[in-house]
């Protein structure tokens, strides 16, 4: 009866993943989550800055370079950007900096547990993904700012607030509310985008899946497990962060 | 800046090993993008219409499958196609075709949502009026609802095409010799000017994607022209 459990059909390969493989996969999931978290933090910060700057910049000498930077990052494949920073940054930075970046050391020591300095490929991945996320979040923020009626600016200015106060207390809170759903979409894309960093050897979830596939030849099992973990992570983040639904969406 | 590395390998960048080997490089990227774009448009349109028209379990199945495709990284989906398609169809499928199908599937799933939302956004009075005029439901969809919906959805189509074009670079990971793959080959062979190689590649993609965006805007302007008169 349960023979297929011991001997799965031929196209599934000759066995199942062992606990060790599942653990390696979960380790990859942790890597993916932490990298995403770091990228989302940086991307949100820089994205807000770029979005506000693009919205506020009137002078052509400032507006034009910002637009070029923004469109440049958005219209180049992420993989090319990852490779660019990974291989190319060595040619940009002085040798002493590269040495410093590549030196292994302990970042944080908590009893027996030590947080090591991230590897160079992890740094490059973080930087490339952050820039990419920045460009998309900036676009979302800018649209949100554009959606705030100009009367809000004028009224706030007329009541004696300074320019930055209007932005901080009147316009940004409203813009953020409009921008939040697309920003959340950018976060979810960031999560999926971390998979590209396997190309430079970051040991995240996709990398592990492929490694385990190569080791065990259980292609279906390893990719299925990785896919399920991705979907769970996406659904979890979506549930946690989605805006409060209005009544129109049903009684859920 | 050493431009020699680009000019010396220019032909390789453009067409890969062709004509001695299979077509590759930028030419393959453009072909992949165009082919997957056409396929994705057709798939997304049909899928979106079905999503908007069907009820019950069929709607649920269409919705769930597109959500699933959107929740998995494209890269993983490519591996899936790479692995599953030969088993399902019992034939050896070349890598290029796998990538084409994977990209069309993902983009189609994204477009399906956009098309369904576009149809839902057409005021319900339009459909009722069309039916009252004696059009069959099919005619109402074809001549009244879709033309309006597609105008709203057009920017999503253009954006999706740009995304798709960028995603062709992922074919590098399954060993299809498109532009990024070829660039990496050159980089690995020469090993001295990575900055130049990848700057050039980035610039070409930038031009390509900006061109698609510009073309999309021009076409939309053309569509709006008779209306704004």
């Amino acid at each position: 009866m349960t023979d297929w459990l011991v001997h799965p059909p031929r196209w599934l390969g000759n066995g199942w993943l062992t606990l060790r493989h599942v653990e390696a996969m979960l380790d990859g999931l942790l890597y993916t989550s932490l990298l995403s978290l770091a990228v989302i933090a940086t991307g949100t910060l820089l994205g807000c800055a770029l979005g506000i700057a693009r919205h506020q910049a009137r002078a052509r000498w400032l507006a034009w370079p910002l637009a070029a930077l923004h469109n440049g990052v958005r219209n180049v494949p992420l993989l090319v950007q990852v490779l660019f920073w990974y291989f190319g940054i060595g040619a940009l930075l002085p040798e002493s900096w590269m040495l410093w970046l590549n030196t292994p050391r302990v970042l944080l020591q908590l009893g027996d547990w030590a947080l090591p300095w991230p590897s160079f490929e992890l740094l490059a991945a973080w930087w490339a993904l952050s820039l990419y996320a920045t460009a998309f979040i900036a676009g979302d923020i800018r649209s949100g700012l554009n959606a705030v009626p100009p009367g809000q600016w004028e009224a706030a200015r007329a009541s004696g607030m300074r320019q930055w106060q209007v932005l901080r207390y009147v316009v940004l809170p409203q813009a953020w509310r409009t921008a939040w759903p697309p920003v959340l979409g950018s976060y979810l894309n960031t999560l999926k985008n971390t998979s590209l960093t396997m190309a430079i050897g970051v040991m995240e979830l996709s990398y592990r899946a492929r490694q385990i596939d190569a080791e065990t030849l259980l292609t279906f099992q390893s990719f299925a497990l990785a896919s399920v973990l991705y979907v769970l992570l996406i659904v979890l983040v979506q549930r946690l962060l989605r805006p409060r639904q209005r009544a129109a969406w049903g009684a859920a | 800046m050493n431009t020699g590395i680009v000019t010396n390998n220019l032909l390789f960048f453009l067409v890969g090993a062709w004509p001695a080997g299979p077509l590759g490089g930028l030419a393959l990227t453009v072909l992949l993008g165009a082919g997957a774009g056409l396929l994705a448009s057709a798939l997304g349109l049909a899928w979106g219409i079905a999503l908007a028209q069907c009820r019950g379990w069929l709607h649920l199945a269409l919705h769930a499958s597109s959500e699933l495709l959107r929740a998995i990284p494209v890269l993983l989906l490519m591996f899936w196609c790479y692995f599953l398609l030969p088993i399902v169809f019992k034939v050896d499928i070349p890598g290029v075709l796998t990538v084409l199908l994977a990209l069309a599937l993902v983009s189609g799933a994204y477009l399906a949502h956009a098309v369904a939302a576009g149809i839902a956004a057409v005021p319900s009075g339009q459909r009722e009026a069309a039916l009252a005029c004696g059009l069959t439901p099919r005619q109402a969809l074809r001549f009244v609802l879709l033309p309006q919906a597609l105008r709203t959805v057009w920017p999503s189509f253009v954006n999706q095409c740009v995304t798709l074009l960028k995603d062709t670079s992922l074919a590098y990971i399954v060993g299809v010799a498109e532009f990024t793959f070829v660039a990496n080959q050159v980089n690995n062979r020469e090993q001295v000017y990575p900055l130049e190689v990848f700057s050039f590649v980035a610039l070409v993609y930038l031009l390509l994607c900006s061109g698609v965006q510009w073309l999309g805007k021009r076409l939309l302007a053309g569509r709006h022209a008779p209306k704004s008169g």
Side-chain angles (χ1 to χ4, degrees):
Chain A
M1 272 297 256
T2 54
D3 188 51
W4 66 271
L5 266 176
V6 187
H7 306 287
R10 176 120 60 96
W11 62 274
L12 267 181
N14 55 355
W16 302 100
L17 296 178
T18 64
L19 192 62
R20 185 172 63 84
H21 296 130
V22 176
E23 274 172 359
M25 209 76 104
L26 289 176
D27 207 38
L29 182 70
L30 187 70
Y31 234 88
T32 292
S33 315
L34 290 181
L35 179 59
S36 306
L37 211 61
V39 170
I40 284 172
T42 327
T44 308
L45 230 81
L46 294 179
C48 284
L50 181 61
I52 294 170
R54 280 213 67 192
H55 182 257
Q56 297 282 304
R58 293 282 174 272
R60 192 174 291 179
W61 63 268
L62 187 61
W64 200 85
L66 284 177
L69 179 75
H70 195 185
N71 290 328
V73 175
R74 266 193 298 196
N75 283 326
V76 172
L78 177 58
L79 185 60
V80 174
Q81 295 189 42
V82 168
L83 295 172
F84 175 88
W85 291 111
Y86 182 64
F87 289 114
I89 203 169
L92 276 176
L93 292 181
E95 205 165 326
S96 57
W97 289 33
M98 287 302 292
L99 207 65
W100 186 82
L101 282 176
N102 275 310
T103 311
R105 72 196 86 133
V106 171
L107 209 57
L108 186 70
Q109 185 88 45
L110 287 174
D112 282 344
W113 184 81
L115 182 69
W117 176 252
S119 59
F120 180 68
E121 58 262 21
L122 194 58
L123 284 174
W126 164 75
W127 175 242
L129 283 166
S130 292
L131 274 190
Y132 200 69
T134 295
F136 284 92
I137 292 172
D140 303 335
I141 298 285
R142 189 170 169 233
S143 311
L145 284 169
N146 283 336
V148 177
Q152 296 285 323
W153 279 98
E154 290 152 15
R157 285 292 277 165
S159 56
M161 290 170 100
R162 289 171 188 284
Q163 181 86 4
W164 71 265
Q165 286 176 319
V166 181
L167 192 66
R168 168 71 186 77
Y169 296 106
V170 179
V171 175
L172 266 185
Q174 298 182 57
W176 182 252
R177 208 171 308 147
T178 328
W180 179 242
V183 167
L184 177 56
S186 298
Y187 287 176
L188 296 178
N189 279 337
T190 296
L191 250 167
K192 293 185 282 173
N193 283 342
T194 54
S195 62
L196 299 201
T197 60
M198 71 179 281
I200 56 170
V202 174
M203 291 165 72
E204 45 68 60
L205 188 49
S206 306
Y207 182 92
R208 302 293 180 122
R210 215 178 173 203
Q211 199 181 30
I212 291 169
D213 166 42
E215 185 191 321
T216 60
L217 298 179
L218 300 175
T219 312
F220 183 87
Q221 286 88 327
S222 41
F223 285 148
L225 183 57
S227 302
V228 168
L229 290 177
Y230 270 116
V231 171
L232 284 179
L233 193 61
I234 292 271
V235 169
L236 182 77
V237 175
Q238 212 169 17
R239 282 290 143 103
L240 281 178
L241 297 182
R242 78 167 159 205
R244 298 282 158 260
Q245 303 284 2
R246 292 188 202 113
W249 281 85
Chain B
M1 215 62 185
N2 179 312
T3 50
I5 185 155
V6 172
T7 46
N8 290 343
N9 293 298
L10 195 58
L11 197 65
F12 189 59
F13 272 120
L14 292 182
V15 293
W18 192 79
L23 186 70
L26 186 60
L28 185 61
T29 290
V30 171
L31 278 181
L32 262 178
L38 282 178
L39 214 58
S41 301
L43 183 69
L45 202 59
W47 201 337
I49 292 172
L51 208 54
Q53 303 280 309
C54 296
R55 295 283 165 268
W57 64 268
L58 192 60
H59 178 87
L60 209 66
L62 287 170
H63 185 75
S65 52
S66 78
E67 285 287 319
L68 186 67
L69 283 175
R70 287 164 7 130
I72 300 176
V74 182
L75 194 63
L76 217 56
L77 201 80
M78 273 186 193
F79 286 134
W80 271 121
C81 287
Y82 212 67
F83 169 67
L84 276 186
L85 287 177
I87 292 174
V88 173
F89 294 108
K90 306 249 191 287
V91 281
D92 226 16
I93 296 180
V96 180
L97 208 59
T98 319
V99 169
L100 193 85
L101 284 173
L103 287 176
L105 216 55
V106 187
S107 304
Y110 274 97
L111 284 178
H113 268 252
V115 170
I119 293 176
V122 178
S124 57
Q126 294 284 327
R127 182 167 189 274
E128 288 154 17
L131 294 181
C133 289
L135 268 70
T136 63
R138 183 179 293 250
Q139 286 170 328
L141 180 71
R142 166 74 185 81
F143 296 109
V144 179
L145 298 182
L146 268 186
Q148 299 183 58
L150 287 186
R151 202 169 298 152
T152 359
V153 173
W154 182 249
S156 308
F157 261 83
V158 177
N159 278 339
Q160 196 56 50
C161 276
V162 172
T163 305
L164 193 147
L165 201 57
K166 288 192 290 174
D167 280 351
T168 55
S169 63
L170 301 189
Y172 149 67
I173 293 185
V174 289
V176 170
E178 45 66 65
F179 195 36
T180 307
F181 184 92
V182 161
N184 209 42
Q185 266 184 327
V186 171
N187 182 46
N188 286 339
R189 195 172 57 207
E190 313 267 344
Q191 298 226 332
V192 268
Y193 302 112
L195 200 65
E196 283 81 351
V197 170
F198 289 111
S199 301
F200 168 70
V201 173
L203 188 70
V204 171
Y205 274 112
L206 178 61
L207 290 176
L208 216 57
C209 293
S210 308
V212 170
Q213 237 150 22
W214 179 82
L215 205 69
K217 274 206 187 106
R218 280 294 296 270
L219 287 174
L220 185 68
R223 271 159 187 256
H224 271 309
K227 218 181 124 202
S228 62

